[in-house]
Amino acid sequence: MATVATCGSGAGSPGSMVAAGSKNNVTSFQRRGPKASGSDSSYSRLVSIPGTRPSVRNGQLLVSTGLPALDQLLGGGLAVGTVLLIEEDKYNIYSSLLFKYFLAEGIINGHTLLVASAKEDPADILQELPAPLLDDNGKKDFDEDMRNIKTSDSNIKMKIAWRYQLLPQMEAGPVSSSRFGHYYDASKKMPQELIEASKWHGFFSPEKSSSTLNIEPCSLTHGYIKLLQFIQNIIYEEGFDGSNPQRKQENILRIGIQNLGSPLWGDDVCCTENCDDSHSLTKFLYVLRGLLRTSLSACIITMPTHLIQNKAIIARVTNLSDTVVGLESFIGSDRETNPLYKDYHGLIHIRQIPRLNNLIYDVSNVKDLAFKLKRKLFTIETDLGYSSI
Amino acid sequence: MFPELNNLLNTTPDRAEQGKLTLLCDDNTDGSFLVHHFLSFYLKANCKVCFVALIQSFSHYNIVGQKLGVSLTAARECGQLVFLEGLKSSVDVFFRAQAEPHPLQFLREANTENLQPLYEFVREALKPMDDGETAWRCPVLLVDDLSVLLSLGAGAVAVLDFIHYCRATVCWERKGNIVALVHDSGDTEDEENNILLNGLSHQSHLILRAEGLATGFCKDVHGQLRILWRTPSQPTAQWDRSLTYQYKIQDKSVSFFAKGMSPAVL
């Protein structure tokens, strides 16, 4: 069981990275519409990558997070080159589910995956991905559910005050012709052949402890330095940053980092208030974002922010990330018995959405959002009670 | 640049003041629209601009700048703009040992004592042209943003020293301006950030503070802008003039109105 499955011969160590990358600036921030002649071909090349679509607002290239309801809240999807930070719920149940949805979406779309974890072996994480709802049987059950929902919905519509009808209802069913964003069945596992057909790289922190370092020790934790080198290596070797003309890559690299900041990475930011390397996590995020901005990749990070005792670090981490979503589950809290929340499993807070290439951004007008996990669906709805079904 | 903001500040690109430190801060909202405003303002005012952009990539500022009427690529090519792209340079600095000192060298160090390489970069970028063929108006240093330096290992004192050195060179010696953005952490107790913010507030001539509304999110009013004119050299000479406006950010401009006078409400 290999933890690293790379293809092609890795030519050089990170130290020999060619500096020619600055010439062909592959950034994912392309403008939609007529452009100077040199970039027409690159724009059309980017649009044809499966599983991506340009944003309606500014032509930014987007990938799906694996959860169409969340895509809608984030303005269409996650922008390529950005970081999605998930603030974990207390028992890491729903955040790990979102993490898996993101990876499963990558497998369905044929993207390359990079899974990093300090707790579980990435191969095990991939075995537990939810199965996609692609077959006709699933769709038939789905349509039945949707029809039931729609009829009861139309009855309810008569009773609701007109004002509430103006607020959007999150999409709860599969859009018929979408290749962007799929639905997953949380109770079934992803078929083995799909996992084996996909290309993925795993980084399991305890197994990398004996590798040699090429850079001088700085204030970053050991685990973070190795992870950054690993990511940079993959990006360079597989050509996601466009610096190597022979290895032009027309695919997206989906990076998933689980439980960043937890003590298993060697970082004590969750253990004490005055930690030794208080800048370790923030420096890591900064360099990671630098790597992402110059390559065709998107990253999801789950972080146990409820354990971080120094609130200043949470604020700094939020400022250094692009999109931040917080999950708060009702398990064990007194909200579990609150009649307002009886249909839901938790609240979802959209804490930050980036303004990329723009002065404004798509922000949903509804701020009170709750989620619930049924067998086939992770739905996000407004929690004011009237649209619950 | 936003014409309405120019009216509020009572400036135009032709009559830009010199030797001033402007502090931008945001509290519970995103104040980056102010950075875009000043960037396009000083480029239109024909000043030489050194932009230390630590938080976003060049293409982001370029695309927004095109909406506001300036082209950063053209300015960079003709030498009016010196752009330090923090995100891209940090990758170079972190993974490869640099031969000569790099402005972001402190990323590799365990304890950052001072930001001298960054200051040297700024000084080199804004040094006056000896041949004098294209005389730019005055040098301007623009930093987006200073709070990131705290996250990257520099202490508040190191950042204050950096700004002090830059003020001595840019504002006093070369009669230029400095504009810097600092995030206000609000109720999270980020002591280093508070030290930095308070220290800079006392040194600045103009403070623009973008705050989120106290009552929460609103679709038509995105926040409140407080403008404070100060004279640091004579702290108790006169009352500092202050104005408060609410604003709404649109695709290519920002509209300002008096508190409670949003067009959506009237």
Side-chain angles (χ1 to χ4, degrees), chain A residues 32 53-62 75-77 358 362:
Chain A
R32 183 202 224 177
R53 70 172 175 200
S55 151
V56 180
R57 184 177 288 287
N58 54 8
Q60 182 82 45
L61 200 62
L62 300 175
N358 229 326
D362 283 315

Side-chain angles (χ1 to χ4, degrees), chain A residues 13-30:
Chain A
S13 62
S16 62
M17 187 171 103
V18 179
S22 54
K23 230 16 177 127
N24 353 338
N25 242 335
V26 175
T27 74
S28 58
F29 302 137
Q30 299 280 349

Side-chain angles (χ1 to χ4, degrees), chain A residues 218 282 286 293 316 357-358, chain B residues 54 56 60 108 151 190:
Chain A
C218 54
T282 43
Y286 190 78
R293 284 288 199 273
R316 288 182 187 179
N357 299 342
N358 229 326
Chain B
L54 297 172
Q56 294 285 6
H60 166 79
R108 297 179 68 95
S151 306
D190 193 345

Side-chain angles (χ1 to χ4, degrees), chain B residues 19 119-120 122-128 139 141 161-178:
Chain B
Y119 163 68
E120 302 282 345
V122 171
R123 192 173 67 170
E124 187 62 32
L126 290 179
K127 75 166 185 249
L141 167 66
D161 285 344
F162 164 71
I163 289 289
H164 181 78
Y165 271 80
C166 288
R167 269 182 63 219
T169 311
V170 176
C171 291
W172 189 79
E173 191 183 319
R174 311 216 178 120
K175 308 281 182 294
N177 293 333
I178 297 183

